[in-house]
């Protein structure tokens, strides 16, 4: 991944989200900024993380929402309309423990079959960290506050509420692993 692809990703996210879903665009910008900040733990994968961060919620765009499950819709859009790289598409498809939500929606086999989880744990954790430490408005937050916000917005008994409760321990563990990696990096 290179800087040109990262810039392209930010432009695609802006086109799809800025007018239709300005708050989702603000969140995506915040997640991408967070990715750029922590990139030092990923070395050559910094641009890939930033691109995935910018695009992680692109599937919410109304014109792309075919299944109603944004990770799958976004990944298909990136693959089919833009020919995006496989690693980028798989990160978007699987961001923030999407397989658990896919299971709640009856889409687990479909998501896993089309877009297998990357076998790059730190990169996967880094995207979780960026997403789950950024508010819907793009500001910084804790993972605990973000999970609580998601629950309050969607409700405990919704598909998203059930998913986020199941995913919370994994989200918190991912955030802790990234924070440990950041703490071990020279400044």
């Amino acid at each position: 991944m290179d800087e040109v692809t990262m810039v392209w990703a930010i432009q695609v996210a802006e086109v799809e989200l800025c007018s239709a879903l300005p708050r989702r665009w603000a969140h995506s910008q915040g997640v991408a900024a967070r990715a750029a900040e922590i990139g030092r733990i990923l070395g050559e994968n910094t641009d890939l993380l930033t691109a995935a961060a910018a695009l992680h919620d692109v599937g919410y765009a109304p014109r792309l929402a075919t299944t109603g499950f944004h990770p799958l819709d976004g990944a298909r859009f990136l693959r089919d309309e833009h020919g995006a790289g496989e690693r980028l598409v798989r990160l978007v498809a699987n961001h923030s423990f999407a397989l658990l939500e896919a299971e709640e929606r009856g889409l687990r086999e479909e998501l896993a079959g089309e877009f297998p989880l990357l076998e790059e744990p730190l990169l996967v954790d880094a995207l979780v960290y960026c997403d789950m430490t950024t508010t819907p408005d793009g500001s910084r937050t804790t993972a605990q506050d973000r999970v609580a916000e998601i629950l309050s917005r969607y409700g405990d008994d919704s598909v998203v509420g059930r998913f986020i409760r199941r995913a919370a321990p994994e989200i918190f563990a991912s955030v802790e692993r990234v924070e440990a990696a950041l703490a071990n990096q020279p400044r």
Side-chain angles (χ1 to χ4, degrees), residues 4-24:
V4 170
T5 304
M6 182 187 64
V7 170
W8 163 83
I10 293 167
Q11 291 171 342
V12 167
E14 181 177 15
V15 164
E16 297 299 335
L17 297 173
C18 184
S19 294
L21 300 168
R23 192 169 188 219
R24 188 67 62 186

Side-chain angles (χ1 to χ4, degrees), residues 150-152 154-165:
I150 292 168
L151 278 170
S152 72
Y154 288 95
D156 284 347
D157 293 328
S158 68
V159 169
V160 174
R162 289 190 305 271
F163 147 70
I164 203 70
R165 284 195 325 271

